[in-house]
Amino acid sequence: MILNERLITMYLYNSLTHKKELFVPNHTDVVKMYTCGPTVYHFAHIGNLRSYIMEDILEKYLRYVGYPVKRVMNITDVGHLASDADTGEDKMLKGAKREQKTVMEIAQFYTDAFFEDCRKLNIKRPDVVEPATGCIDEFIKLVSGLMERGYAYFAGGNVYFDTSKLEKYYVFNDHDEEDLAVGVREGVEEDTNKRNKNDFVLWFTKSKFEDQALKWDSPWGVGYPGWHIECSGISLKHLGEDLDIHCGGIDNAFPHHTNEIAQSEAFLGHKWCNYWFHVHHLNTEGGKMSKSKGEFLTVSLLESKGYDPMVYRFFCLQSHYRRNLVFSWENLDNAVAAYDKLIAKIATLNPDSGEVVDEAALQSMKDRFTKAMDGDLNTSLAVTALYDVLKAKTNDATKLAALADFDNVMSLDLLAHAEKVRQESRAQEAAEETDPEIDALVLQRTEAKKAKNWAEADRIRDELKARGISIIDTPQGAKWRRD
Ligand code: AMP
Ligand code: ZN
């Protein structure tokens, strides 16, 4: 595709076709992107956030190459049951009971906590964020349409999607049908209302858990929507009848995304989404990190152990999104060392050199970066492109321009962190400088402050200022530096 006179050759792996494909959007004026949002019954763990970091990179890279993007995310605040196979208690209700709060209080608290984590990790907020409870009318319209078209049936108080009406249900087709068949999976109770083992609930009015907190009136009785219908309904509401890219963690491919495709395409009567972008899991040595296991790592926990959230973003970018990533403290410490080294090198570049950017050199560095990202968003190669900038034979202004440019996508705060390092080292140098006359004046000012003689303290500060000296108050006492 040609955009702003540039040929865009971005290849993405599409889970639907199992191939890397040239990305070609449906429309020239917008790329429509949908992201499954969090289920807000608990804090997001750093595994969830790995998915959101990589989806953020995808969105930013699309914008970087020049596509206008509209990205929509749902907030799951109803209907996601403890098992993805429509059984168990609503996760939101479980959260509310755990904390003795209302479901809406829980939803608000964990939605805010999620976006606070995103802020710390430089994950951009999607253009539209829509809680499921705000779209009940859309879901009812969708379920009614599926009933009218013969794709849904009412049984035992619930409305089910009839998967036997589809030519192909397992669209991602790398599943062993028997292993994954809902209803025969170990530990999942069979729902005898279902006509076919893969059928799934579109609207509940009956479940084993009668204490569902939030319920709405519907043509099928008072109840609540199934989890899968949320994403179809919210996407149709904000992005219309077609979608370019749908994102999520790989665990969502089945049954969640499989069911989204089934119901959206049955309702629309045509293909719905072209590209499926699935982020593979963050695992611990004991297996997949998951909220339901109870013990999981959060951004706040990393911070409490002294880790900068930016280091976790860097850790994620060092590996490809289609590989499982193993989290260990040792691996994270290695990322800390690599990130600090990178920042220290950037800090040696002089931002005030007054040099002119070498446009040809800049372009060749950008080409290396886009080549990495065009190849199925290879962020680990893009990180290598950052190191290559530092090694390049060009001036500091050009290197800094390249780093700033790449950081529009990587969002690692490279230049801001490097500036902080420069300031710290200046303060350190200042702390080490001595001059008996100035030291004596700084001491006099400290004494004046102790004696609450503010006028005298200010007079000394102003006198030093006039001589080109600034006083820096630090926890170790007053220091000074030449301006
Ligand atoms: P949830 O809040 O459980 O609905 O999940 C939010 C997102 O995180 C979904 O896209 C999941 O597929 C994804 N996810 C869940 N566990 C992991 C994990 N261990 N690693 C990466 N992504 C995950
Ligand atoms: Zn979803």
Side-chain angles (χ1 to χ4, degrees):
M1 176 154 181
I2 302 202
L3 208 68
N4 304 331
E5 294 166 18
R6 247 195 75 208
L7 180 65
I8 305 203
T9 50
M10 177 183 172
Y11 282 79
L12 271 185
Y13 181 85
N14 187 353
S15 311
L16 207 54
T17 57
H18 304 277
K19 281 198 305 256
K20 282 187 204 169
E21 291 178 357
L22 181 66
F23 175 66
V24 185
N26 277 327
H27 311 268
T28 49
D29 58 337
V30 67
V31 170
K32 300 183 189 181
M33 189 172 170
Y34 185 85
T35 301
C36 289
T39 310
V40 283
Y41 71 110
H42 218 317
F43 291 108
H45 58 64
I46 59 172
N48 302 129
L49 291 160
R50 178 194 189 195
S51 287
Y52 295 114
I53 288 171
M54 302 318 290
E55 293 162 6
D56 178 66
I57 289 277
L58 172 60
E59 177 188 346
K60 286 178 178 160
Y61 189 63
L62 287 164
R63 292 185 194 275
Y64 176 88
V65 295
Y67 288 117
V69 179
K70 180 171 181 190
R71 180 163 170 215
V72 176
M73 178 192 273
N74 67 304
I75 297 290
T76 299
D77 53 2
V78 67
H80 193 172
L81 304 192
S83 150
D84 287 355
D86 299 334
T87 58
E89 199 173 6
D90 189 308
K91 293 186 181 195
M92 293 303 300
L93 200 60
K94 265 176 103 168
K97 282 185 185 161
R98 185 186 65 231
E99 298 185 19
Q100 295 173 339
K101 296 205 176 109
T102 67
V103 165
M104 286 330 271
E105 280 167 351
I106 289 284
Q108 192 58 55
F109 178 81
Y110 288 112
T111 302
D112 293 347
F114 171 72
F115 285 112
E116 180 57 14
D117 286 345
C118 288
R119 190 190 61 73
K120 289 176 183 165
L121 291 164
N122 281 350
I123 298 170
K124 178 184 166 295
R125 191 183 168 97
D127 305 290
V128 177
V129 174
E130 180 79 272
T133 48
C135 296
I136 301 299
D137 288 349
E138 266 77 23
F139 308 148
I140 291 176
K141 226 168 30 195
L142 202 48
V143 178
S144 303
L146 289 169
M147 285 289 251
E148 279 160 28
R149 291 164 180 72
Y151 284 100
Y153 59 92
F154 185 73
N158 298 330
V159 183
Y160 293 86
F161 186 91
D162 186 349
T163 53
S164 71
K165 294 279 164 22
L166 302 173
E167 260 171 51
K168 191 172 178 207
Y169 170 65
Y170 289 102
V171 282
F172 293 108
N173 79 17
D174 51 357
H175 305 301
D176 178 330
E177 297 215 0
E178 280 308 306
D179 278 357
L180 286 171
V182 178
V184 297
R185 245 191 292 170
E186 234 179 294
V188 173
E189 238 176 89
E190 202 171 337
D191 178 347
T192 50
N193 294 322
K194 292 184 183 183
R195 288 185 193 159
N196 313 286
K197 63 188 179 197
N198 293 315
D199 292 355
F200 54 93
V201 180
L202 298 167
W203 187 269
F204 288 97
T205 74
K206 286 265 173 322
S207 96
K208 264 198 333 202
F209 298 91
E210 290 297 345
D211 54 350
Q212 181 70 17
L214 299 175
K215 292 187 188 183
W216 296 264
D217 202 8
S218 83
W220 316 283
V222 175
Y224 60 100
W227 171 39
H228 316 297
I229 202 79
E230 289 178 13
C231 289
S232 294
I234 291 172
S235 176
L236 289 173
K237 177 179 176 189
H238 292 287
L239 296 167
E241 291 200 356
D242 67 290
L243 195 53
D244 290 301
I245 309 179
H246 193 308
C247 311
I250 188 71
D251 58 318
N252 280 169
F254 183 86
H256 184 49
H257 293 161
T258 305
N259 292 349
E260 279 187 45
I261 293 174
Q263 64 208 1
S264 299
E265 297 195 347
F267 178 81
L268 292 167
H270 58 72
K271 184 161 179 174
W272 175 47
C273 176
N274 289 337
Y275 300 87
W276 287 81
F277 178 86
H278 284 125
V279 180
H280 286 241
H281 283 149
L282 180 80
N283 294 327
T284 56
E285 270 132 11
K288 182 196 159 206
M289 191 173 290
S290 88
K291 279 189 228 182
S292 51
K293 281 190 194 162
E295 270 190 25
F296 52 81
L297 300 175
T298 59
V299 169
S300 313
L301 187 93
L302 296 190
E303 285 183 305
S304 72
K305 288 182 180 284
Y307 291 96
D308 178 346
M310 228 10 63
V311 165
Y312 180 65
R313 187 174 172 107
F314 185 68
F315 172 71
C316 291
L317 300 193
Q318 282 177 314
S319 78
H320 195 264
Y321 75 91
R322 278 195 302 114
R323 292 233 173 85
N324 286 342
L325 177 59
V326 178
F327 178 86
S328 69
W329 294 107
E330 192 187 346
N331 292 348
L332 190 64
D333 286 337
N334 289 338
V336 172
Y339 182 75
D340 286 352
K341 208 164 140 192
L342 178 65
I343 296 295
K345 283 201 178 137
I346 299 171
T348 64
L349 303 174
N350 180 5
D352 306 313
S353 67
E355 296 156 335
V356 177
V357 172
D358 177 344
E359 292 298 337
L362 178 60
Q363 192 55 50
S364 99
M365 292 191 276
K366 280 190 187 179
D367 289 346
R368 211 166 303 166
F369 177 72
T370 46
K371 190 165 173 229
M373 297 297 277
D374 279 349
D376 192 24
L377 225 58
N378 195 329
T379 51
S380 66
L381 267 184
V383 169
T384 309
L386 292 176
Y387 289 111
D388 289 345
V389 167
L390 293 163
K391 283 188 242 148
K393 289 192 174 51
T394 185
N395 62 29
D396 285 6
T398 310
K399 291 181 186 183
L400 286 165
L403 294 167
D405 183 67
F406 304 172
D407 218 25
N408 288 322
V409 179
M410 306 297 261
S411 296
L412 289 167
D413 285 348
L414 296 174
L415 300 194
H417 273 63
E419 184 51 32
K420 220 168 117 202
V421 169
R422 281 189 209 103
Q423 279 174 9
E424 279 164 8
S425 85
R426 264 186 245 130
Q428 181 77 22
E429 277 166 26
E432 281 158 15
E433 194 175 354
T434 54
D435 178 310
E437 193 197 342
I438 297 167
D439 288 346
L441 277 169
V442 171
L443 194 64
Q444 272 179 36
R445 173 179 169 269
T446 305
E447 295 299 325
K449 273 175 75 177
K450 260 194 216 148
K452 297 200 174 10
N453 187 349
W454 310 116
E456 176 64 1
D458 287 350
R459 189 197 63 73
I460 299 171
R461 196 197 52 217
D462 293 345
E463 184 189 328
L464 286 168
K465 189 89 206 149
R467 292 163 67 172
I469 307 277
S470 288
I471 297 179
I472 310 154
D473 288 309
T474 76
Q476 291 76 37
K479 313 269 181 214
W480 59 268
R481 67 170 158 81
R482 293 186 199 281
D483 296 329

